[in-house]
């Protein structure tokens, strides 16, 4: 791994970790507890696009570790839910990016990642409390995932275009 790539990945990890922690502090103005904007997923999309799925997975795992350490939720239920959502959404987005990039835009890939993230988090929460009854909440989270997934994809597309200009 080259020095430039290592430095860039370190910056992406730091940015994603801070976004993850800051997002946990932001009040969500909707009556959907647990819903978040998915700001750190912008970084995941960028890393998938620039460096591939392995580096994106590394960034996602380290971002959850760093974000939960900064947010005071390390190794608790929020950590398990965040890690499950981050890992599954990055792997899902990376698969779609790799195999169906001609079919889905970055916004579409982001939407898919948002849906996968919510399904994984609800699944983890259901496992943690030992009740499938939590799945009643999934449609509400998915409704919130639509605009946030689109927003995340648009922001990632914007930054990817800017990064392409400065690296060429």
């Amino acid at each position: 791994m080259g020095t430039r790539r290592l430095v860039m990945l370190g910056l992406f990890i730091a940015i994603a970790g801070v976004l993850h922690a800051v997002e946990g502090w932001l009040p969500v103005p909707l009556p959907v507890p647990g819903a978040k904007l998915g700001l750190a997923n912008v970084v995941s999309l960028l890393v998938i696009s620039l460096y591939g799925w392995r580096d994106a997975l590394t960034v996602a795992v380290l971002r959850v570790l760093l974000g939960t350490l900064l947010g005071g939720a390390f190794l608790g239920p929020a950590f398990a839910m965040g890690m499950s959502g981050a890992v599954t959404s990055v792997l899902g987005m990376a698969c779609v990016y790799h195999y169906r990039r001609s079919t889905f835009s970055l916004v579409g890939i982001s939407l898919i990642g948002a849906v996968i993230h919510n399904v994984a988090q609800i699944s983890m929460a259901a496992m943690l409390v030992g009740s499938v009854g939590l799945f009643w909440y999934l449609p509400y989270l998915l409704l919130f995932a639509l605009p946030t997934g689109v927003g995340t994809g648009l922001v990632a597309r914007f930054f990817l275009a800017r990064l392409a200009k400065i690296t060429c």
Side-chain angles (χ1 to χ4, degrees):
M1 183 180 296
T3 304
R4 177 179 166 76
R5 182 177 177 151
L6 189 61
V7 168
M8 289 301 292
L9 289 175
L11 287 172
F12 282 131
I13 291 165
I15 292 166
V18 169
L19 286 173
H20 180 97
V22 167
E23 189 174 31
W25 301 331
L26 295 175
V28 178
L30 295 173
V32 185
K36 294 185 178 180
L37 298 174
L39 299 175
N41 288 330
V42 171
V43 177
S44 296
L45 284 166
L46 291 174
V47 177
I48 288 169
S49 301
L50 296 170
Y51 299 109
W53 73 271
R54 285 181 181 93
D55 288 334
L57 186 60
T58 301
V59 169
V61 167
L62 293 175
R63 114 148 108 114
V64 173
L65 289 170
L66 181 61
T68 55
L69 276 170
L70 292 173
F74 186 62
L75 296 180
F79 169 79
M81 291 171 58
M83 188 64 77
S84 66
V87 168
T88 56
S89 67
V90 164
L91 292 175
M93 290 188 300
C95 283
V96 175
Y97 184 85
H98 183 72
Y99 294 109
R100 297 283 183 221
R101 190 174 353 161
S102 61
T103 307
F104 293 98
S105 68
L106 210 53
V107 174
I109 293 168
S110 176
L111 269 169
I112 291 167
V115 168
I116 291 170
H117 194 276
N118 282 300
V119 170
Q121 283 196 325
I122 283 292
S123 299
M124 178 57 72
M127 286 187 343
L128 289 172
V129 300
S131 172
V132 295
L134 288 179
F135 280 96
W136 71 268
Y137 193 55
L138 185 59
Y140 299 104
L141 287 177
L142 293 178
L143 280 174
F144 194 71
L146 295 176
T148 59
V150 168
T152 299
L154 290 171
V155 171
R157 186 173 71 187
F158 173 82
F159 280 111
L160 193 58
R162 297 304 175 268
L163 286 171
K165 285 182 180 180
I166 61 174
T167 57
C168 291

